[in-house]
Amino acid sequence: MTEQHTLSVLVEDKPGVLARVASTLARRGFNIHSLAVGPTAEAGMSKMTVVVNAPELEQVKKQLHKLINVVKITELDQHFAIEREIMLVRVNAPPGKRGEILEVASIFKATAVDVAANSITFQVTGQPAKINDFLDLIRPYGMMDLVKSGRIALAREPKARKLKATG
Amino acid sequence: MSETTGAHALIKSLEHEGVEVAFGVPGGAILPVYDPLLDSPIRHVLARHEQGAGHMAQGYAWATGKVGVTIATSGPGATNLVTPLADALMDSVPLVAVTGQVPTYAVGNDAFQEAYTTGITLPATKHNYFVTDVEEISSVVHEAFHIASSGRPGPVLIDIPKDVLNARTVWSEPGELHLPGYKPTTKPHPRRIAEAAEMIAAAERPVLYVGGGIIKAEATEQLTALAEATGAPVVTTLMGRGAMSDHHPNVLGMSGMHGVYTATSAMQKADLLVAIGVRFDDRVTGDPEAFAPFAKVIHADIDPAEIGKVREPEVPIVGDARQVLVGLLEAWGERETPNLDKWWTTLRNWQEDYPLRYDQQDDGPIKPQYVIEQIYEATGGDATVVAGVGQHQMWASQFWKFDDPRRWINSGGLGTMGFAVPAAVGAKVGTPDELVYAIDGDGCFQMTFQEMITAAEENVPVKVAVINNRAYGMVRQWQRLFYNERFSASDLGSGIDYVKLAEGMGCVGLRAEKPEEVADVVSRSLEINDRPVITEFVVDRDEMVFPMVPAGGSNDIIINGPEDL
């Protein structure tokens, strides 16, 4: 059974490190569903958020650990992680349909970032599920183009201390 | 130090790491490195092919325990190194490869002799570097040697464009290592060690299953001490031959596909496997579902990715094999050696009932096993044995009795045919006072024999026995057993005149075609020490390697000989 796993990989910010990580996953035939790379709090380091379709990741996590430039790997549990995506979607919007479309968009807090004679481009941010819901509703109007950032994610902080403070 | 070139800085760095010898082949992009090499105390051994250079560096590393160094040019020079790199990765051989690259401005432009070397070698190395700044050379070389030789050893490649090699720089000593993602765990967890010792003490049918990790960690003494303290039998992998003396009564030999019956069966019946520096390779386990069904497993390895990869252990231990053994010995303490008489009775009965055997008739063709035994007898076992891949390799590992580590060199994981000749040259360069006798097959020999020219030119008097069955013997064996004797593309025809070939390359050639000639040819080969010697043994081409567990089969079903077929 193939499931989606979210890996947070802390790497040294060096040329080729993305290729090493991607190659390690490709060797096993695992498909990368999404990937986001960017600088992180520590200087000289980058954090990759990799969403992978794979039956299990234990062995490949160990193999990733063997890469010299990989510092830390965390597999994030979707229930205990903050996951976000950003999407830009251009929707077919002839003047007669604009009102409806904007109404749907406002429910999802999608921002119109470009409006043309027959189209509106929305920016949507949020949890992947929310973005997909928005897409489902907007799809019937006709999508002209779509681009998504890779998913980014952080593990949630344990709640214990917070509870103690308030209780 | 005064201003110099990147190439000179590279040579300085190699010297700084203690490099004494490098094996290589020059070419356009690496030319700047070959110029200062002339003035360096580093000995350069000029191979006839980069694959040969790489395997020589491997043989050198196997024999000495030091990092082997190989140098090649860009493009085809680098691609020819891929096989030795992949081989070294599989067998955890410490290697540093330096390749020239086309000048930076031409990189990525399909320049003459350009290949994307770091891309091609990415999955064939432990790590690799593309050096774009001449100032990095000193630190990169230092890191490369550290990575190659520490943790689980392996190959590291450094690719340097020609303009970087020609750039001006001032060499300085490398600074502190900064490798935040690379911190191998060498010290085992004491609680795990204590658990392991308890399990060993409680076991009725324990087996110490040990491999190349023991040799890399130089833990022979500690392994022998543990075997004696616990009374447990020892099974070695192909890579672990010599990890403990074959003459020690606790050592059962090699297990697995072509392992001795007792070693393979001991694991099948064991109630505890103490696996140290091994990786449960498919040639050892056969069908993993049917492997060692009654055994609990303690698995110690320096590479955490090996633990649980094939078999989930009851006690996982990450650490250096020697430190693991030292820990186990301490945890064992003053315990009495458990009474394993019942277990040993079973094992000794198997040894008696299922010895390794072959049938050499006086008037029949030479049996390959007989050749190996004759070389063993004549040398008293005092030699480094280097093998290629195939039947001859299995026979060598079965019939030679290894007393010491680092005296058995072969291509285990990758199974690289043609490994023996260049690896023997490298081993002899590294240990010139040792007798280095390669036991090769004719198929293997024909893949890399040009390195005998290197041996002759470089005055490296190795000896190579060609076990000549005029075929790819192991392929033929499988075709006989599993493909209805349809011998497709495994017949090498009448072959070549090895004596003439040897002479043509500046070596001595000797040939034995009958059993009674074998001893004489071997003893003559041992008398010649000023030139490389090639000894050809024309053997029975139908001889097969037994015991055998067919690939993917259960280790409970062992074919002991032709009568079992």
mmCIF file of all heavy atoms in Angstrom, chain B residues 143-181:
data_model
loop_
_atom_site.group_PDB
_atom_site.id
_atom_site.type_symbol
_atom_site.label_atom_id
_atom_site.label_comp_id
_atom_site.label_asym_id
_atom_site.label_seq_id
_atom_site.Cartn_x
_atom_site.Cartn_y
_atom_site.Cartn_z
ATOM 1 N N GLU B 143 38.604 16.252 4.242
ATOM 2 C CA GLU B 143 37.280 15.670 4.495
ATOM 3 C C GLU B 143 37.132 14.330 3.792
ATOM 4 O O GLU B 143 36.608 13.379 4.354
ATOM 5 C CB GLU B 143 36.184 16.620 3.967
ATOM 6 C CG GLU B 143 35.789 17.711 4.925
ATOM 7 C CD GLU B 143 34.627 18.557 4.394
ATOM 8 O OE1 GLU B 143 33.840 18.104 3.532
ATOM 9 O OE2 GLU B 143 34.523 19.696 4.857
ATOM 10 N N ALA B 144 37.592 14.301 2.548
ATOM 11 C CA ALA B 144 37.441 13.077 1.751
ATOM 12 C C ALA B 144 38.123 11.888 2.434
ATOM 13 O O ALA B 144 37.553 10.794 2.529
ATOM 14 C CB ALA B 144 38.021 13.281 0.353
ATOM 15 N N PHE B 145 39.326 12.105 2.942
ATOM 16 C CA PHE B 145 40.040 11.000 3.619
ATOM 17 C C PHE B 145 39.335 10.618 4.921
ATOM 18 O O PHE B 145 39.265 9.441 5.267
ATOM 19 C CB PHE B 145 41.510 11.369 3.867
ATOM 20 C CG PHE B 145 42.370 11.080 2.678
ATOM 21 C CD1 PHE B 145 42.389 11.950 1.600
ATOM 22 C CD2 PHE B 145 43.120 9.912 2.604
ATOM 23 C CE1 PHE B 145 43.144 11.670 0.474
ATOM 24 C CE2 PHE B 145 43.885 9.621 1.487
ATOM 25 C CZ PHE B 145 43.907 10.506 0.413
ATOM 26 N N HIS B 146 38.820 11.615 5.600
ATOM 27 C CA HIS B 146 38.101 11.323 6.845
ATOM 28 C C HIS B 146 36.851 10.491 6.556
ATOM 29 O O HIS B 146 36.600 9.478 7.216
ATOM 30 C CB HIS B 146 37.727 12.629 7.546
ATOM 31 C CG HIS B 146 36.863 12.439 8.754
ATOM 32 N ND1 HIS B 146 37.343 11.866 9.923
ATOM 33 C CD2 HIS B 146 35.549 12.697 8.960
ATOM 34 C CE1 HIS B 146 36.350 11.800 10.804
ATOM 35 N NE2 HIS B 146 35.252 12.290 10.239
ATOM 36 N N ILE B 147 36.092 10.909 5.555
ATOM 37 C CA ILE B 147 34.842 10.209 5.237
ATOM 38 C C ILE B 147 35.145 8.798 4.715
ATOM 39 O O ILE B 147 34.478 7.830 5.086
ATOM 40 C CB ILE B 147 34.010 11.021 4.223
ATOM 41 C CG1 ILE B 147 33.495 12.307 4.891
ATOM 42 C CG2 ILE B 147 32.846 10.202 3.667
ATOM 43 C CD1 ILE B 147 32.904 13.326 3.930
ATOM 44 N N ALA B 148 36.166 8.692 3.853
ATOM 45 C CA ALA B 148 36.491 7.384 3.274
ATOM 46 C C ALA B 148 36.885 6.373 4.342
ATOM 47 O O ALA B 148 36.538 5.190 4.256
ATOM 48 C CB ALA B 148 37.619 7.526 2.247
ATOM 49 N N SER B 149 37.595 6.845 5.371
ATOM 50 C CA SER B 149 38.208 5.890 6.296
ATOM 51 C C SER B 149 37.460 5.725 7.616
ATOM 52 O O SER B 149 37.750 4.812 8.377
ATOM 53 C CB SER B 149 39.650 6.318 6.592
ATOM 54 O OG SER B 149 39.648 7.613 7.153
ATOM 55 N N SER B 150 36.483 6.570 7.893
ATOM 56 C CA SER B 150 35.806 6.482 9.185
ATOM 57 C C SER B 150 34.422 5.885 9.026
ATOM 58 O O SER B 150 33.939 5.707 7.905
ATOM 59 C CB SER B 150 35.699 7.883 9.804
ATOM 60 O OG SER B 150 34.971 8.728 8.947
ATOM 61 N N GLY B 151 33.788 5.590 10.153
ATOM 62 C CA GLY B 151 32.450 4.996 10.106
ATOM 63 C C GLY B 151 32.491 3.715 9.289
ATOM 64 O O GLY B 151 33.401 2.904 9.438
ATOM 65 N N ARG B 152 31.492 3.544 8.430
ATOM 66 C CA ARG B 152 31.583 2.440 7.488
ATOM 67 C C ARG B 152 32.407 2.942 6.310
ATOM 68 O O ARG B 152 31.968 3.849 5.594
ATOM 69 C CB ARG B 152 30.188 2.042 7.016
ATOM 70 C CG ARG B 152 30.203 0.913 6.016
ATOM 71 C CD ARG B 152 28.797 0.517 5.645
ATOM 72 N NE ARG B 152 28.817 -0.563 4.681
ATOM 73 C CZ ARG B 152 27.731 -1.224 4.308
ATOM 74 N NH1 ARG B 152 26.570 -0.908 4.818
ATOM 75 N NH2 ARG B 152 27.823 -2.200 3.427
ATOM 76 N N PRO B 153 33.602 2.404 6.099
ATOM 77 C CA PRO B 153 34.476 2.973 5.073
ATOM 78 C C PRO B 153 33.835 2.888 3.683
ATOM 79 O O PRO B 153 32.938 2.083 3.460
ATOM 80 C CB PRO B 153 35.729 2.103 5.142
ATOM 81 C CG PRO B 153 35.648 1.375 6.429
ATOM 82 C CD PRO B 153 34.200 1.228 6.744
ATOM 83 N N GLY B 154 34.342 3.699 2.770
ATOM 84 C CA GLY B 154 33.796 3.677 1.422
ATOM 85 C C GLY B 154 34.540 4.628 0.513
ATOM 86 O O GLY B 154 35.474 5.320 0.939
ATOM 87 N N PRO B 155 34.138 4.662 -0.751
ATOM 88 C CA PRO B 155 34.832 5.494 -1.729
ATOM 89 C C PRO B 155 34.328 6.937 -1.740
ATOM 90 O O PRO B 155 33.142 7.186 -1.609
ATOM 91 C CB PRO B 155 34.491 4.816 -3.061
ATOM 92 C CG PRO B 155 33.144 4.203 -2.822
ATOM 93 C CD PRO B 155 33.086 3.828 -1.363
ATOM 94 N N VAL B 156 35.266 7.865 -1.903
ATOM 95 C CA VAL B 156 34.937 9.285 -2.034
ATOM 96 C C VAL B 156 35.633 9.792 -3.288
ATOM 97 O O VAL B 156 36.803 9.473 -3.520
ATOM 98 C CB VAL B 156 35.411 10.082 -0.796
ATOM 99 C CG1 VAL B 156 35.076 11.558 -0.963
ATOM 100 C CG2 VAL B 156 34.777 9.544 0.481
ATOM 101 N N LEU B 157 34.902 10.532 -4.093
ATOM 102 C CA LEU B 157 35.490 11.057 -5.333
ATOM 103 C C LEU B 157 35.588 12.574 -5.260
ATOM 104 O O LEU B 157 34.692 13.243 -4.733
ATOM 105 C CB LEU B 157 34.644 10.638 -6.536
ATOM 106 C CG LEU B 157 35.116 11.160 -7.898
ATOM 107 C CD1 LEU B 157 35.082 10.059 -8.950
ATOM 108 C CD2 LEU B 157 34.305 12.362 -8.367
ATOM 109 N N ILE B 158 36.709 13.082 -5.781
ATOM 110 C CA ILE B 158 36.915 14.534 -5.859
ATOM 111 C C ILE B 158 37.124 14.893 -7.321
ATOM 112 O O ILE B 158 38.083 14.437 -7.946
ATOM 113 C CB ILE B 158 38.167 14.956 -5.040
ATOM 114 C CG1 ILE B 158 38.088 14.444 -3.595
ATOM 115 C CG2 ILE B 158 38.326 16.472 -5.065
ATOM 116 C CD1 ILE B 158 39.387 14.641 -2.808
ATOM 117 N N ASP B 159 36.223 15.678 -7.868
ATOM 118 C CA ASP B 159 36.300 16.074 -9.276
ATOM 119 C C ASP B 159 36.747 17.538 -9.333
ATOM 120 O O ASP B 159 36.142 18.399 -8.690
ATOM 121 C CB ASP B 159 34.910 15.902 -9.914
ATOM 122 C CG ASP B 159 34.941 16.006 -11.426
ATOM 123 O OD1 ASP B 159 35.914 15.497 -12.034
ATOM 124 O OD2 ASP B 159 33.992 16.576 -12.013
ATOM 125 N N ILE B 160 37.819 17.801 -10.073
ATOM 126 C CA ILE B 160 38.370 19.167 -10.094
ATOM 127 C C ILE B 160 38.582 19.631 -11.540
ATOM 128 O O ILE B 160 39.340 19.006 -12.284
ATOM 129 C CB ILE B 160 39.726 19.246 -9.334
ATOM 130 C CG1 ILE B 160 39.674 18.459 -8.019
ATOM 131 C CG2 ILE B 160 40.102 20.709 -9.085
ATOM 132 C CD1 ILE B 160 40.980 18.469 -7.243
ATOM 133 N N PRO B 161 37.936 20.719 -11.924
ATOM 134 C CA PRO B 161 38.148 21.244 -13.275
ATOM 135 C C PRO B 161 39.601 21.684 -13.489
ATOM 136 O O PRO B 161 40.286 22.104 -12.547
ATOM 137 C CB PRO B 161 37.193 22.441 -13.360
ATOM 138 C CG PRO B 161 36.188 22.206 -12.289
ATOM 139 C CD PRO B 161 36.918 21.489 -11.195
ATOM 140 N N LYS B 162 40.009 21.619 -14.732
ATOM 141 C CA LYS B 162 41.407 21.889 -15.073
ATOM 142 C C LYS B 162 41.827 23.317 -14.708
ATOM 143 O O LYS B 162 42.953 23.538 -14.255
ATOM 144 C CB LYS B 162 41.602 21.657 -16.575
ATOM 145 C CG LYS B 162 43.047 21.582 -17.003
ATOM 146 C CD LYS B 162 43.171 21.163 -18.466
ATOM 147 C CE LYS B 162 44.641 20.975 -18.852
ATOM 148 N NZ LYS B 162 44.773 20.522 -20.250
ATOM 149 N N ASP B 163 40.919 24.279 -14.887
ATOM 150 C CA ASP B 163 41.294 25.661 -14.566
ATOM 151 C C ASP B 163 41.474 25.852 -13.057
ATOM 152 O O ASP B 163 42.283 26.677 -12.630
ATOM 153 C CB ASP B 163 40.263 26.660 -15.121
ATOM 154 C CG ASP B 163 38.864 26.387 -14.602
ATOM 155 O OD1 ASP B 163 38.492 25.203 -14.517
ATOM 156 O OD2 ASP B 163 38.143 27.345 -14.274
ATOM 157 N N VAL B 164 40.744 25.074 -12.271
ATOM 158 C CA VAL B 164 40.933 25.140 -10.812
ATOM 159 C C VAL B 164 42.291 24.530 -10.455
ATOM 160 O O VAL B 164 42.996 25.026 -9.572
ATOM 161 C CB VAL B 164 39.770 24.435 -10.073
ATOM 162 C CG1 VAL B 164 40.007 24.413 -8.572
ATOM 163 C CG2 VAL B 164 38.439 25.107 -10.405
ATOM 164 N N LEU B 165 42.652 23.461 -11.164
ATOM 165 C CA LEU B 165 43.968 22.844 -10.928
ATOM 166 C C LEU B 165 45.097 23.795 -11.316
ATOM 167 O O LEU B 165 46.181 23.760 -10.743
ATOM 168 C CB LEU B 165 44.093 21.538 -11.719
ATOM 169 C CG LEU B 165 43.203 20.389 -11.250
ATOM 170 C CD1 LEU B 165 43.219 19.245 -12.256
ATOM 171 C CD2 LEU B 165 43.639 19.887 -9.869
ATOM 172 N N ASN B 166 44.841 24.645 -12.312
ATOM 173 C CA ASN B 166 45.878 25.586 -12.771
ATOM 174 C C ASN B 166 45.865 26.915 -12.025
ATOM 175 O O ASN B 166 46.805 27.709 -12.151
ATOM 176 C CB ASN B 166 45.712 25.854 -14.274
ATOM 177 C CG ASN B 166 46.229 24.689 -15.104
ATOM 178 O OD1 ASN B 166 47.158 23.982 -14.699
ATOM 179 N ND2 ASN B 166 45.616 24.452 -16.258
ATOM 180 N N ALA B 167 44.801 27.148 -11.255
ATOM 181 C CA ALA B 167 44.680 28.440 -10.562
ATOM 182 C C ALA B 167 45.768 28.590 -9.501
ATOM 183 O O ALA B 167 46.268 27.604 -8.957
ATOM 184 C CB ALA B 167 43.302 28.557 -9.933
ATOM 185 N N ARG B 168 46.126 29.812 -9.210
ATOM 186 C CA ARG B 168 47.170 30.084 -8.209
ATOM 187 C C ARG B 168 46.568 30.063 -6.814
ATOM 188 O O ARG B 168 45.437 30.506 -6.591
ATOM 189 C CB ARG B 168 47.812 31.462 -8.453
ATOM 190 C CG ARG B 168 48.336 31.669 -9.865
ATOM 191 C CD ARG B 168 49.437 30.722 -10.262
ATOM 192 N NE ARG B 168 50.678 30.913 -9.489
ATOM 193 C CZ ARG B 168 51.769 30.143 -9.634
ATOM 194 N NH1 ARG B 168 51.756 29.132 -10.486
ATOM 195 N NH2 ARG B 168 52.845 30.381 -8.922
ATOM 196 N N THR B 169 47.314 29.543 -5.879
ATOM 197 C CA THR B 169 46.847 29.475 -4.499
ATOM 198 C C THR B 169 48.053 29.344 -3.576
ATOM 199 O O THR B 169 49.172 29.108 -4.035
ATOM 200 C CB THR B 169 45.893 28.276 -4.293
ATOM 201 O OG1 THR B 169 45.392 28.310 -2.956
ATOM 202 C CG2 THR B 169 46.593 26.944 -4.522
ATOM 203 N N VAL B 170 47.803 29.508 -2.317
ATOM 204 C CA VAL B 170 48.822 29.207 -1.316
ATOM 205 C C VAL B 170 48.288 28.050 -0.486
ATOM 206 O O VAL B 170 47.214 28.153 0.112
ATOM 207 C CB VAL B 170 49.100 30.435 -0.413
ATOM 208 C CG1 VAL B 170 50.105 30.076 0.677
ATOM 209 C CG2 VAL B 170 49.624 31.590 -1.259
ATOM 210 N N TRP B 171 49.006 26.923 -0.493
ATOM 211 C CA TRP B 171 48.525 25.761 0.244
ATOM 212 C C TRP B 171 48.612 26.012 1.738
ATOM 213 O O TRP B 171 49.605 26.546 2.236
ATOM 214 C CB TRP B 171 49.333 24.506 -0.089
ATOM 215 C CG TRP B 171 48.752 23.276 0.549
ATOM 216 C CD1 TRP B 171 47.714 22.535 0.064
ATOM 217 C CD2 TRP B 171 49.153 22.662 1.777
ATOM 218 N NE1 TRP B 171 47.433 21.493 0.909
ATOM 219 C CE2 TRP B 171 48.296 21.549 1.973
ATOM 220 C CE3 TRP B 171 50.121 22.934 2.744
ATOM 221 C CZ2 TRP B 171 48.399 20.707 3.095
ATOM 222 C CZ3 TRP B 171 50.224 22.113 3.854
ATOM 223 C CH2 TRP B 171 49.372 21.010 4.025
ATOM 224 N N SER B 172 47.572 25.660 2.435
ATOM 225 C CA SER B 172 47.657 25.739 3.896
ATOM 226 C C SER B 172 47.065 24.467 4.478
ATOM 227 O O SER B 172 46.271 23.785 3.821
ATOM 228 C CB SER B 172 46.898 26.965 4.402
ATOM 229 O OG SER B 172 45.563 26.897 3.948
ATOM 230 N N GLU B 173 47.433 24.173 5.695
ATOM 231 C CA GLU B 173 46.923 22.963 6.336
ATOM 232 C C GLU B 173 45.411 23.054 6.468
ATOM 233 O O GLU B 173 44.878 24.130 6.695
ATOM 234 C CB GLU B 173 47.549 22.817 7.727
ATOM 235 C CG GLU B 173 48.951 22.292 7.641
ATOM 236 C CD GLU B 173 49.389 21.584 8.916
ATOM 237 O OE1 GLU B 173 48.515 21.245 9.738
ATOM 238 O OE2 GLU B 173 50.598 21.405 9.084
ATOM 239 N N PRO B 174 44.753 21.912 6.321
ATOM 240 C CA PRO B 174 43.294 21.955 6.442
ATOM 241 C C PRO B 174 42.898 22.334 7.856
ATOM 242 O O PRO B 174 43.582 21.999 8.818
ATOM 243 C CB PRO B 174 42.870 20.525 6.121
ATOM 244 C CG PRO B 174 44.082 19.686 6.380
ATOM 245 C CD PRO B 174 45.263 20.557 6.081
ATOM 246 N N GLY B 175 41.773 23.040 7.965
ATOM 247 C CA GLY B 175 41.288 23.412 9.285
ATOM 248 C C GLY B 175 40.522 22.269 9.925
ATOM 249 O O GLY B 175 40.613 21.119 9.489
ATOM 250 N N GLU B 176 39.772 22.593 10.950
ATOM 251 C CA GLU B 176 38.954 21.582 11.636
ATOM 252 C C GLU B 176 37.882 21.058 10.694
ATOM 253 O O GLU B 176 37.352 21.806 9.874
ATOM 254 C CB GLU B 176 38.264 22.235 12.838
ATOM 255 C CG GLU B 176 39.218 22.670 13.917
ATOM 256 C CD GLU B 176 39.019 21.879 15.189
ATOM 257 O OE1 GLU B 176 37.855 21.576 15.503
ATOM 258 O OE2 GLU B 176 40.023 21.574 15.844
ATOM 259 N N LEU B 177 37.564 19.793 10.830
ATOM 260 C CA LEU B 177 36.496 19.225 10.017
ATOM 261 C C LEU B 177 35.171 19.837 10.425
ATOM 262 O O LEU B 177 34.900 20.003 11.614
ATOM 263 C CB LEU B 177 36.427 17.714 10.235
ATOM 264 C CG LEU B 177 37.549 16.891 9.632
ATOM 265 C CD1 LEU B 177 37.545 15.496 10.245
ATOM 266 C CD2 LEU B 177 37.398 16.802 8.126
ATOM 267 N N HIS B 178 34.381 20.179 9.430
ATOM 268 C CA HIS B 178 33.036 20.663 9.742
ATOM 269 C C HIS B 178 32.037 19.810 8.961
ATOM 270 O O HIS B 178 31.754 20.071 7.796
ATOM 271 C CB HIS B 178 32.898 22.145 9.371
ATOM 272 C CG HIS B 178 31.524 22.681 9.622
ATOM 273 N ND1 HIS B 178 30.999 22.831 10.896
ATOM 274 C CD2 HIS B 178 30.535 23.052 8.772
ATOM 275 C CE1 HIS B 178 29.764 23.292 10.803
ATOM 276 N NE2 HIS B 178 29.449 23.426 9.530
ATOM 277 N N LEU B 179 31.566 18.762 9.594
ATOM 278 C CA LEU B 179 30.635 17.843 8.937
ATOM 279 C C LEU B 179 29.452 17.594 9.865
ATOM 280 O O LEU B 179 29.355 16.533 10.501
ATOM 281 C CB LEU B 179 31.347 16.516 8.605
ATOM 282 C CG LEU B 179 32.478 16.592 7.575
ATOM 283 C CD1 LEU B 179 33.334 15.332 7.611
ATOM 284 C CD2 LEU B 179 31.911 16.793 6.181
ATOM 285 N N PRO B 180 28.543 18.559 9.937
ATOM 286 C CA PRO B 180 27.450 18.435 10.913
ATOM 287 C C PRO B 180 26.539 17.229 10.654
ATOM 288 O O PRO B 180 25.879 16.754 11.578
ATOM 289 C CB PRO B 180 26.682 19.748 10.734
ATOM 290 C CG PRO B 180 27.087 20.288 9.414
ATOM 291 C CD PRO B 180 28.481 19.812 9.173
ATOM 292 N N GLY B 181 26.526 16.752 9.408
ATOM 293 C CA GLY B 181 25.637 15.618 9.089
ATOM 294 C C GLY B 181 26.344 14.286 9.147
ATOM 295 O O GLY B 181 25.768 13.264 8.768
#
